[in-house]
């Protein structure tokens, strides 16, 4: 009896795991790049400004 209930749950978990990850959209990649670039450049700028 427990075998019948475990199978659909296992299939459901497998389907949920497949839907959990997907490729990033091009606009998301651009936003990540801009955010990293801005963050690193501001960090560098602040280090230079406050060092002097």
């Amino acid at each position: 009896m427990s075998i019948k209930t475990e199978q659909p749950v296992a299939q459901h978990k497998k389907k949920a795991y497949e839907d959990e990850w997907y490729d990033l959209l091009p606009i998301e990649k651009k936003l990540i790049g801009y955010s990293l670039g801005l963050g690193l450049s501001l960090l560098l700028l602040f280090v230079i400004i406050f060092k002097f």
Side-chain angles (χ1 to χ4, degrees):
M1 189 180 267
S2 65
I3 294 173
K4 290 181 181 180
T5 59
E6 289 178 13
Q7 187 64 23
V9 172
Q11 288 177 352
H12 176 69
K13 285 183 180 179
K14 184 179 179 184
K15 179 67 175 160
Y17 181 74
E18 291 173 357
D19 291 340
E20 188 174 357
W21 303 105
Y22 53 91
D23 293 335
L24 293 175
L25 298 174
I27 189 66
E28 292 173 325
K29 291 179 183 178
K30 282 184 181 179
L31 288 172
I32 291 169
Y34 291 149
S35 298
L36 282 173
L38 180 63
L40 291 174
S41 61
L42 286 174
L43 179 66
L44 182 65
L45 180 69
F46 290 151
V47 167
I48 291 171
I49 288 174
F50 290 115
K51 194 169 187 174
F52 295 115

